[in-house]
Amino acid sequence: MEKEDLKVLNKGEEEEMELQGYRLCRWRLALVGLGVLCTGGFLLLLLYWMPEWCVKSTCTRTTARDAEVVLLRSTDEFRRWFLARVRVMLAPGSNPFHSLETQTTSPSSPSSPSCPFSSPASPPLANGHTPHPSDGSPAQELISRFADYQPTQIRYFTFHSTKYYWNDEVQNFEVLTGLEDLQVSCSTLHSEHSTGLTRNQQEYRRLFFGVNEIAVKVPSVFKLLIKEVLNPFYIFQLFSVILWSADEYYYYAVAIVFMSVISIATSLYTIKKQYVMLHDMVAAHSIVRVSVCRANNDIEEILSTDLVPGDVIVIPSNGTIMPCDAVLVSGTCIVNESMLTGESVPVTKTNLPNPGPGERGEEAYSAYNTEEHKRHTLFCGTDVIQTRFYTGELVKAVVVRTGFSTAKGQLVRSILYPKPTDFKLYRDAYLFLLCLVAVAGIGFVYSIVLSIMNKVPAKTIIIESLDIITITVPPALPAAMTAGIVYAQRRLKRIGIFCISPQRINICGQINLVCFDKTGTLTEDGLDLWGVQRVENGSFHLSEENAYKENLVKSQFVACMATCHSLTKIEGQLSGDPLDLKMFEATGWILEEATEEETSLHNRIMPTVVRPPKQLLPPEPAVSPEQDMELYELSSAYEIGIVRQFPFSSALQRMSVVARLLGEKRMDAYMKGAPEVVASLCKKETVPENFAEVLEGYTKQGFRVIALAHRRLESKLTWHKVQNINRDHIEANMEFLGLIIMQNKLKPETPGVLQDLHRANIRTVMVTGDNMLTAISVARDCGMIPPQDTVIIADAIPPHDGQAAKITWRYADKPTKTSRLEEVNISLEDVCHVDEPKTQELYHFAMNGKSFAVIAEHFPDMLQKLVLHGTVFARMAPDQKTQLIEALQGVDYFVGMCGDGANDCGALKRAHGGISLSELEASVASPFTSRTPNISCVPSLIREGRAALITSFCVFKFMALYSIIQYISVTLLYSILSNLGDFQFLFIDIAIILLIVFTMSLNPAWKELVSRRPPSGLISGPLLFSVLTQILICLGFQTITFLWVRQQPWYTVWMPLTDVCNLTSHINVSDHNDTEIDDHNIQNFENTSLFYVSCFQYLIVAIVFSKGKPFRQPSYKNWPFVVSAVSLYIFLLFIMFHPIESIDEFLEIVCVPFDWRLKLFFIILVNAAVSVLVETFILDIVLWKLVFSRDKQGNFGVTPAAPTPQGVIDLRGYKCLSRLCCPRKMMPKARYMHLAQELSVDPDWPPKPTTTTEAKPRPENGSTYQIMINS
């Protein structure tokens, strides 16, 4: 492959792909066409399943620029292939942001490097006729309108609802996202993009950006059907059905067709239902009428589908659902963003700051970015509840992104095109099937050789040898495998857990680490005000229970509590952030907002006003004669107007407001936020000296602490200046006012659930946006960190002033007891010499988001060690939560994530099992949604996952043995040119197999979580041992039966008139039967004997494999299974010992002497005894406990579990057996076990409290570090 022409798309992003260009080749196409004809269409199917073969067999390599077809390959661990056709579009220009008209200024010069699709400037055009909305081909119409322009050929392809355009500058395909491609600064957005586009510009841009619509096309049933039917399994079933029909085995063929039809129908129904649900969710408000501002200041009403990036839309005062992502350039909006964040708390969006030329700060020149400026961005799909505006001015927003590029579009794309869930079970299932195919291949060759030696006709040879394949690879397998998952899904639904990705239920059975969000998940959602602690003259007062006091009513502290929030009235009700609500309610003040009528009377926006209730105000003083009456009225009315809000920003960890007391000339600035941040922005002398100790005292107790600050603003700051000032000017040199202490109570279920998870050796980790010490305190309260364990805080500092990045380690709080917890830990290294028990100190790492980012970037090898014992991750941004989950998965943990949907969407989607506790639309991103709003759903999900996983193993093992048992019977019978009869096959396949398979999956989950985990794949020691031993047992007993029957004194080659029974002739064979026997030689003693023995073998393995404890309820509680198995046993024993002529005739069984039946019964009993003994005693007790249990994570010092008395008893046996089974040191499979083993012998780990770790760049292997001890 020409390496130089391998392009990389979306470099560094989640959807990174490699791209190769191809051209269609005629002679290759002709050859492939011929091949398709010769193989009867099978080659076409193969090419449909393998896109890379399809492209490589019909095309030749070319450069990406000239490609007609592109072959894409994802760079993730799945390495999936896709193909896409390259199309060509004619347009008047090659850059959507280039202005086609002379009368409007170009937003950015065509040659500027920021233009992604720049081309030399085309000649200007001066025809000013007004265009009409296009109805024919828009490109043709535009080209005819701009006749002077040279039409440009633009090459593009569409993949996963995204268009990739060829960009000559970078010589690669690129995505056009929207206005952000221009890297526009905030001031440029105001100066050059806030006037609007002409119709021509709009239509020209629409050629590139397409229609503004998140189109979830619901595929037709026919399309879905074709896609579903072309699944390799169904093709194999079709092959089986055709073969059986040729062999006149119609009944089972009909049964399989019937099952397949039901399976396909249910699958189509669920897929179609999901598409319709998604379509309805997206389409609900996707097309609305919007008012846009044109470049000549006209306002025109158009459909939202016509919007393009750069359009200026007017937000109506009564609100709307946003049809695109847009940035506010004037006015304010109150928005409900629950569609995206899962929090139904209204958010206030302010206009993008536009500092005047004299006071341009960094913000004015920084490029606009939706993530950074999300407080000014209205996202698609969010609900604008109401707007605030100035008279004569409209609330305007510039469209930034449209269609699938919007935030909502990205969410919908992630649902439409999910990453496949990689799970060992499914990979192993295919490997297992390949083994079965290999076995089938042996049988295939064997039957052909045997038939040729016995001169059997060609047609029979073909049918019988192919028949062996359909026997070995059971066509009913997919239906059988999904049964367990469907039952698990139904049980989950019963306990209020809904699942949109059923395949993930099995994966949940493997979870060994769960990440929890804190607020709303481990703790109650709301906060209660515990108290306040004011500061005066640089020292703390005693803490007070509340601020609702007469002597405090006019204090700056209360004024700050009353004004510094983002609350708003919606339909007369106060609403906003729960913390703000609690804080404002504690003051007892009243909030009033201007009505629309009042606003229209004034020439500027009316501020929101807050005032204390009358009863709190001190009695009014007497009026002195020199006081003006009007002034008196003003002074007696104590009101504060909120002039400007700087909304809370999680990046800055603070919010502030500018307010003015009625009658005052100067304004005040109030700020609240994280105590450390607020204190750093205050004058040193106003912050008490014991600030850090007081704060730590509260946070250690688990309180949420918020600091308040205030500053009088200079008199030169007028109302208009305040509207455009940068927040950095306001938020400086403040005076520290004190602390508000809020209490966040644990949910009552939290400690119990976490204890259950610890008992089950499942690690728990807290990932929160809250303060670190609060998080550590909550982790201790809920039992995530036991009281005697040490917490080590990692503070990482990024490189600055030429110094390398470094981590300083400090111990959070020393445990009160001096004695250390000691425990016997069989770490890996001691597996073969357990004699010296290892003392281990238990420790947990804690870090905040900033440190996490620095460590991830500068200490990547250290990060893996930290996540091994990291328990608290505080102040984490949403994307950092996702990175943490990836880091944990990187060391082979199976990660569960439980959050309330708010900012956990990415993490919920990335985890192996994500459970959202919120029922809002954001939960669409999460595979599981729980109706109970607490974490008790986590153990339930893991238990159900384990039960479903074990069920899948049971079914798979049973189906494999069913195939092999039938294969053995058929192979033995082929040797005497016999076979099983059609009705014998039918009885086995339907009465025994289907009945047993669909009932054995019904075992509910075990009541509690145990510390053992089920194996993750089919190809694991215990499972292979189990399957192979049962195969050998069945083979042995069938061979004994086959050989023993021929040694019997009464044995002869069976003829229609043979009667070896003591009774009078049992079977009066008709002439028709005579011809049948000549054809197939079905009725004989070998056939009958093997039929009886094999039927019992199916039931024996079903019971042996149907395991209960420790993951599922015992089988005797699964009454449908018990009834089915017992009924079949009774029926088989009945027809064996009491032959009924009609049944014998139907099943083509012959009569055998009674003593042979007793011998058969004896064979069956011994078979059952051996199977049960091997499976339950040898496998479960001896091998599981002593050899295979080394897979348990508890033995690697990762999850400390309390030693059990049982453990001490097992230790000696373990030692002896381990020496037998692993003479050399065994390496663990999982990376985290491997790391735990390395760290257990590392003398410098965990880092001591006086050390600093410094990054030492070494280019050849990324990063390394050295630990230094501070003097």
Side-chain angles (χ1 to χ4, degrees):
M1 189 197 287
E2 307 155 50
K3 198 72 191 154
E4 67 275 6
D5 205 48
L6 186 73
K7 304 286 183 192
V8 177
L9 297 183
N10 309 326
K11 198 168 180 64
E13 290 174 38
E14 199 180 341
E15 283 193 359
E16 189 179 88
M17 290 179 294
E18 293 165 353
L19 174 144
Q20 302 161 32
Y22 284 86
R23 296 190 84 95
L24 282 169
C25 170
R26 291 214 176 124
W27 64 267
R28 287 188 178 201
L29 267 171
L31 267 178
V32 168
L34 193 69
V36 170
L37 282 173
C38 296
T39 55
F42 185 68
L43 181 62
L44 198 62
L45 263 177
L46 211 59
L47 297 182
Y48 168 77
W49 292 330
M50 307 278 198
E52 75 275 26
W53 291 9
C54 178
V55 172
K56 286 172 181 172
S57 60
T58 55
C59 307
T60 49
R61 272 302 292 268
T62 179
T63 58
R65 188 201 168 99
D66 306 319
E68 292 174 8
V69 176
V70 287
L71 185 59
L72 305 163
R73 189 177 198 185
S74 64
T75 54
D76 55 18
E77 66 272 31
F78 303 107
R79 307 289 285 156
R80 292 170 298 158
W81 292 93
F82 305 97
L83 64 95
R85 287 291 303 272
V86 177
R87 303 182 188 282
V88 176
M89 164 176 95
L90 285 174
S94 64
N95 178 2
F97 297 112
H98 173 51
S99 172
L100 290 180
E101 296 177 277
T102 48
Q103 60 260 41
T104 55
T105 51
S106 163
S108 134
S109 70
S111 56
S112 85
S114 64
C115 284
F117 296 86
S118 56
S119 60
S122 315
L125 179 84
N127 65 334
H129 78 279
T130 50
H132 301 287
S134 61
D135 43 21
S137 153
Q140 288 305 320
E141 232 178 84
L142 269 174
I143 287 163
S144 62
R145 197 175 304 153
F146 299 107
D148 301 9
Y149 280 80
Q150 189 61 45
T152 316
Q153 278 202 349
I154 291 162
R155 309 175 69 82
Y156 71 95
F157 68 87
T158 309
F159 173 70
H160 282 182
S161 302
T162 307
K163 276 187 179 173
Y164 291 81
Y165 289 92
W166 177 256
N167 182 347
D168 257 343
E169 256 182 37
V170 294
Q171 286 291 303
N172 200 350
F173 284 96
E174 284 193 341
V175 184
L176 279 176
T177 50
L179 217 53
E180 284 169 290
D181 295 336
L182 283 173
Q183 301 271 300
V184 220
S185 67
C186 298
S187 50
T188 319
L189 248 170
H190 277 281
S191 58
E192 296 178 9
H193 293 275
S194 57
T195 47
L197 305 174
T198 62
R199 281 199 201 165
N200 283 355
Q201 283 175 317
Q202 192 192 41
E203 287 182 32
Y204 171 55
R205 281 191 192 180
R206 207 178 316 133
L207 290 179
F208 292 89
F209 291 104
V211 176
N212 172 33
E213 193 179 12
I214 302 169
V216 178
K217 291 191 179 72
V218 179
S220 65
V221 175
F222 181 71
K223 247 189 190 170
L224 284 173
L225 180 70
I226 295 296
K227 201 174 170 188
E228 190 70 17
V229 168
L230 294 182
N231 180 329
F233 267 127
Y234 289 124
I235 296 296
F236 178 66
Q237 287 186 343
L238 183 71
F239 159 75
S240 306
V241 166
I242 293 168
L243 184 75
W244 294 330
S245 305
D247 198 16
E248 294 168 10
Y249 181 35
Y250 300 117
Y251 302 98
Y252 190 55
V254 169
I256 282 289
V257 167
F258 179 68
M259 264 172 51
S260 301
V261 166
I262 288 178
S263 164
I264 289 171
T266 47
S267 169
L268 286 189
Y269 173 74
T270 48
I271 293 171
K272 180 97 175 172
K273 192 170 144 198
Q274 276 184 347
Y275 267 115
V276 170
M277 263 174 62
L278 191 60
H279 177 268
D280 292 351
M281 185 191 107
V282 172
H285 307 282
S286 61
I287 301 176
V288 289
R289 294 197 75 80
V290 285
S291 304
V292 293
C293 301
R294 290 277 169 240
N296 51 4
N297 282 335
D298 281 357
I299 287 181
E300 184 186 331
E301 202 170 86
I302 60 167
L303 278 175
S304 60
T305 45
D306 293 340
L307 290 174
V308 293
D311 266 326
V312 175
I313 57 173
V314 178
I315 312 288
S317 57
N318 57 350
T320 179
I321 302 267
M322 286 301 294
C324 56
D325 286 359
V327 58
L328 267 178
V329 285
S330 67
T332 8
C333 291
I334 292 158
V335 187
N336 179 345
E337 291 193 324
S338 64
M339 172 27 233
L340 288 181
T341 61
E343 284 192 352
S344 51
V345 174
V347 186
T348 305
K349 301 278 184 175
T350 54
N351 56 335
L352 193 70
N354 181 25
E359 50 195 316
R360 296 228 154 153
E362 282 172 35
E363 199 166 352
Y365 294 109
S366 66
Y368 166 76
N369 172 303
T370 42
E371 193 47 48
E372 241 171 81
H373 299 98
K374 68 173 177 216
R375 282 289 172 183
H376 315 295
T377 308
L378 303 168
F379 292 103
C380 177
T382 58
D383 189 357
V384 178
I385 304 166
Q386 63 186 56
T387 60
R388 307 241 186 98
F389 52 91
Y390 323 123
T391 315
E393 276 213 37
L394 299 163
V395 179
K396 292 181 187 172
V398 179
V399 177
V400 185
R401 298 171 173 183
T402 57
F404 275 103
S405 301
T406 59
K408 184 178 179 181
Q410 295 294 352
L411 177 69
V412 173
R413 278 186 65 228
S414 69
I415 299 165
L416 277 176
Y417 312 106
K419 265 190 169 181
T421 43
D422 174 46
F423 190 39
K424 214 158 165 272
L425 174 72
Y426 303 122
R427 276 177 293 158
D428 288 355
Y430 284 113
L431 274 172
F432 216 87
L433 280 179
L434 283 175
C435 298
L436 289 180
V437 169
V439 172
I442 297 166
F444 180 73
V445 174
Y446 162 80
S447 68
I448 290 180
V449 172
L450 207 77
S451 303
I452 291 172
M453 282 164 62
N454 289 307
K455 300 186 174 60
V456 175
K459 183 192 171 198
T460 317
I461 292 180
I462 293 167
I463 288 177
E464 292 203 334
S465 47
L466 288 176
D467 203 22
I468 278 260
I469 295 174
T470 64
I471 285 169
T472 324
V473 183
L477 186 67
M481 289 291 280
T482 45
I485 294 175
V486 171
Y487 296 147
Q489 196 176 353
R490 208 185 299 157
R491 285 196 298 270
L492 283 172
K493 199 170 178 179
R494 227 174 285 146
I495 54 172
I497 299 173
F498 297 92
C499 169
I500 56 167
S501 168
Q503 295 302 327
R504 295 243 185 166
I505 297 176
N506 273 342
I507 304 177
C508 289
Q510 277 299 308
I511 286 175
N512 54 0
L513 182 146
V514 187
C515 295
F516 292 98
D517 178 42
K518 183 179 81 74
T519 315
T521 305
L522 296 172
T523 59
E524 296 287 357
D525 226 339
L527 290 156
D528 298 313
L529 186 80
W530 180 84
V532 295
Q533 191 152 12
R534 294 183 298 120
V535 166
E536 263 179 40
N537 308 326
S539 62
F540 279 115
H541 279 256
L542 291 173
S543 61
E544 298 157 274
E545 220 170 287
N546 62 27
Y548 187 78
K549 293 179 183 160
E550 276 186 28
N551 62 336
L552 291 182
V553 73
K554 290 193 175 182
S555 66
Q556 297 292 5
F557 188 87
V558 172
C560 185
M561 283 176 74
T563 54
C564 197
H565 52 70
S566 55
L567 300 178
T568 180
K569 274 199 166 162
I570 294 171
E571 292 170 5
Q573 282 291 312
L574 265 186
S575 70
D577 186 290
L579 185 143
D580 287 356
L581 262 172
K582 275 280 185 297
M583 182 181 78
F584 184 73
E585 282 167 5
T587 62
W589 284 40
I590 298 149
L591 179 134
E592 286 176 0
E593 281 181 340
T595 59
E596 279 180 43
E597 297 79 62
E598 281 178 293
T599 310
S600 56
L601 291 173
H602 296 75
N603 60 350
R604 62 185 191 205
I605 189 165
M606 283 282 288
T608 298
V609 172
V610 290
R611 56 186 172 76
K614 286 256 165 38
Q615 62 269 29
L616 274 185
L617 286 170
E620 296 160 16
V623 190
S624 60
E626 62 268 23
Q627 265 187 324
D628 196 322
M629 196 66 196
E630 197 178 32
L631 269 175
Y632 163 71
E633 277 174 12
L634 278 176
S635 65
S636 69
Y638 186 81
E639 287 186 355
I640 302 176
I642 300 167
V643 179
R644 169 112 198 251
Q645 254 185 26
F646 295 100
F648 176 77
S649 148
S650 46
L652 300 172
Q653 295 179 15
R654 61 179 185 265
M655 81 162 283
S656 53
V657 291
V658 175
R660 175 188 268 160
L661 181 62
L662 193 63
E664 284 280 338
K665 286 276 188 295
R666 286 162 70 176
M667 300 194 194
D668 295 276
Y670 294 104
M671 172 168 75
K672 76 164 199 285
E676 307 91 342
V677 177
V678 172
S680 69
L681 296 169
C682 289
K683 295 176 191 159
K684 283 277 178 292
E685 64 273 15
T686 65
V687 181
E689 285 175 17
N690 60 341
F691 165 74
E693 295 94 83
V694 171
L695 176 63
E696 197 167 326
Y698 284 125
T699 50
K700 270 185 190 172
Q701 293 172 58
F703 291 117
R704 171 104 177 253
V705 183
I706 290 153
L708 306 182
H710 157 259
R711 168 177 152 215
R712 290 298 295 273
L713 295 178
E714 305 80 39
S715 50
K716 66 173 186 190
L717 276 176
T718 60
W719 191 92
H720 270 292
K721 278 185 177 166
V722 165
Q723 292 310 317
N724 292 318
I725 198 166
N726 193 327
R727 73 189 287 174
D728 297 345
H729 290 298
I730 301 281
E731 297 170 343
N733 286 324
M734 311 282 278
E735 287 176 21
F736 194 77
L737 292 178
L739 305 172
I740 294 181
I741 300 107
M742 315 285 273
Q743 197 173 16
N744 192 194
K745 296 194 184 91
L746 275 182
K747 287 187 179 175
E749 302 81 7
T750 299
V753 170
L754 292 178
Q755 206 178 348
D756 288 350
L757 293 173
H758 278 255
R759 246 186 259 123
N761 266 348
I762 293 169
R763 250 187 81 188
T764 50
V765 170
M766 184 191 294
V767 197
T768 173
D770 205 347
N771 166 298
M772 164 108 68
L773 290 168
T774 307
I776 293 173
S777 155
V778 171
R780 283 203 185 279
D781 288 349
C782 65
M784 207 176 259
I785 300 176
Q788 66 275 12
D789 291 7
T790 315
V791 176
I792 305 170
I793 296 176
D795 281 325
I797 304 153
H800 62 99
D801 307 335
Q803 289 187 323
K806 58 177 185 235
I807 309 171
T808 47
W809 309 94
R810 58 193 175 90
Y811 281 36
D813 45 353
K814 289 283 188 296
T816 42
K817 298 190 186 82
T818 45
S819 64
R820 286 272 174 250
L821 184 79
E822 295 190 358
E823 70 155 38
V824 177
N825 220 4
I826 304 167
S827 73
L828 239 155
E829 167 161 31
D830 309 326
V831 158
C832 292
H833 39 95
V834 192
D835 311 292
E836 322 120 39
K838 186 171 181 296
T839 312
Q840 190 191 348
E841 184 181 296
L842 300 180
Y843 56 91
H844 302 257
F845 287 110
M847 68 188 81
N848 60 23
K850 282 180 189 157
S851 300
F852 179 80
V854 172
I855 293 168
E857 189 180 344
H858 300 282
F859 302 86
D861 37 2
M862 171 75 87
L863 184 65
Q864 295 201 336
K865 295 179 181 181
L866 288 177
V867 295
L868 204 66
H869 283 275
T871 304
V872 175
F873 295 87
R875 294 264 186 252
M876 296 285 273
D879 56 327
Q880 288 177 327
K881 291 186 178 187
T882 313
Q883 285 164 14
L884 172 67
I885 293 221
E886 284 170 350
L888 289 164
Q889 288 171 336
V891 290
D892 296 343
Y893 274 112
F894 280 90
V895 184
M897 167 80 197
C898 180
D900 53 355
N903 41 6
D904 309 314
C905 279
L908 287 168
K909 223 165 49 198
R910 180 49 51 88
H912 289 109
I915 318 175
S916 159
L917 301 183
S918 131
E919 282 194 66
L920 295 148
E921 285 105 319
S923 62
V924 170
S926 165
F928 301 95
T929 305
S930 167
R931 205 173 250 168
T932 45
N934 60 56
I935 62 169
S936 60
C937 56
V938 175
S940 307
L941 180 66
I942 297 176
R943 283 189 301 110
E944 285 299 345
R946 288 178 171 189
L949 188 57
I950 290 295
T951 300
S952 294
F953 290 147
C954 289
V955 169
F956 209 96
K957 283 159 62 178
F958 177 66
M959 292 303 277
L961 263 148
Y962 145 62
S963 307
I964 298 290
I965 293 170
Q966 205 168 61
Y967 171 77
I968 295 168
S969 308
V970 170
T971 316
L972 288 171
L973 290 175
Y974 272 12
S975 66
I976 57 161
L977 298 186
S978 178
N979 198 350
L980 289 172
D982 284 359
F983 287 103
Q984 289 177 342
F985 272 127
L986 196 67
F987 175 75
I988 291 169
D989 292 346
I990 291 178
I992 299 182
I993 304 304
L994 293 187
L995 196 60
I996 292 293
V997 154
F998 288 117
T999 56
M1000 82 188 297
S1001 313
L1002 284 168
N1003 286 33
W1006 186 243
K1007 296 184 289 292
E1008 60 202 45
L1009 273 178
V1010 291
S1011 58
R1012 229 166 75 182
R1013 266 193 314 146
S1016 59
L1018 283 163
I1019 311 225
S1020 67
L1023 281 164
L1024 285 180
F1025 177 83
S1026 166
V1027 170
L1028 291 172
T1029 49
Q1030 294 300 333
I1031 288 175
L1032 291 173
I1033 292 165
C1034 293
L1035 174 68
F1037 283 100
Q1038 280 202 47
T1039 315
I1040 289 169
T1041 309
F1042 182 74
L1043 297 174
W1044 199 10
V1045 70
R1046 309 186 77 164
Q1047 306 302 317
Q1048 295 306 310
W1050 44 264
Y1051 176 82
T1052 59
V1053 175
W1054 192 85
M1055 298 298 289
L1057 298 173
T1058 310
D1059 178 21
V1060 293
C1061 296
N1062 306 332
L1063 313 163
T1064 51
S1065 179
H1066 240 313
I1067 299 167
N1068 308 318
V1069 184
S1070 61
D1071 297 337
H1072 169 74
N1073 238 344
D1074 252 328
T1075 57
E1076 285 280 319
I1077 290 146
D1078 296 341
D1079 263 8
H1080 292 291
N1081 181 23
I1082 285 178
Q1083 290 180 310
N1084 54 51
F1085 296 123
E1086 290 90 342
N1087 169 300
T1088 302
S1089 305
L1090 284 180
F1091 174 72
Y1092 282 137
V1093 170
S1094 66
C1095 280
F1096 278 104
Q1097 281 182 340
Y1098 298 125
L1099 292 173
I1100 291 164
V1101 292
I1103 285 166
V1104 161
F1105 285 160
S1106 219
K1107 290 213 180 76
K1109 266 179 75 175
F1111 305 117
R1112 305 196 306 164
Q1113 297 273 6
S1115 290
Y1116 59 78
K1117 288 195 176 176
N1118 175 357
W1119 64 264
F1121 175 69
V1122 173
V1123 169
S1124 309
V1126 169
S1127 312
L1128 284 165
Y1129 269 122
I1130 292 169
F1131 175 75
L1132 285 170
L1133 286 170
F1134 179 74
I1135 61 166
M1136 196 164 116
F1137 286 111
H1138 191 283
I1140 293 169
E1141 196 173 315
S1142 55
I1143 292 179
D1144 283 2
E1145 212 168 295
F1146 176 76
L1147 291 172
E1148 299 175 76
I1149 301 171
V1150 299
C1151 186
V1152 291
F1154 188 75
D1155 66 324
W1156 177 240
R1157 287 179 205 160
L1158 286 174
K1159 285 175 185 165
L1160 283 180
F1161 185 60
F1162 173 71
I1163 288 173
I1164 290 157
L1165 282 178
V1166 176
N1167 185 344
V1170 173
S1171 287
V1172 170
L1173 186 81
V1174 167
E1175 184 74 14
T1176 52
F1177 183 73
I1178 296 177
L1179 180 82
D1180 285 5
I1181 296 169
V1182 182
L1183 288 174
W1184 248 120
K1185 280 203 175 160
L1186 302 176
V1187 180
F1188 299 130
S1189 60
R1190 67 158 200 279
D1191 283 352
K1192 266 170 59 182
Q1193 68 180 57
N1195 294 335
F1196 297 103
V1198 179
T1199 304
T1204 54
Q1206 177 65 40
V1208 181
I1209 302 161
D1210 279 352
L1211 212 62
R1212 288 191 200 88
Y1214 189 103
K1215 206 158 76 179
C1216 309
L1217 227 119
S1218 300
R1219 285 190 175 139
L1220 287 173
C1221 300
C1222 55
R1224 65 179 194 288
K1225 283 186 190 174
M1226 291 295 294
M1227 285 316 287
K1229 291 179 198 162
R1231 292 273 298 285
Y1232 65 87
M1233 294 179 181
H1234 194 80
L1235 277 166
Q1237 179 195 336
E1238 282 177 16
L1239 295 179
S1240 64
V1241 291
D1242 186 344
D1244 294 330
W1245 197 262
K1248 304 290 178 287
T1250 51
T1251 54
T1252 303
T1253 306
E1254 200 169 283
K1256 291 273 177 230
R1258 204 187 317 153
E1260 63 269 17
N1261 67 343
S1263 89
T1264 177
Y1265 49 84
Q1266 75 174 27
I1267 293 177
M1268 304 174 303
I1269 301 200
N1270 294 349
S1271 49

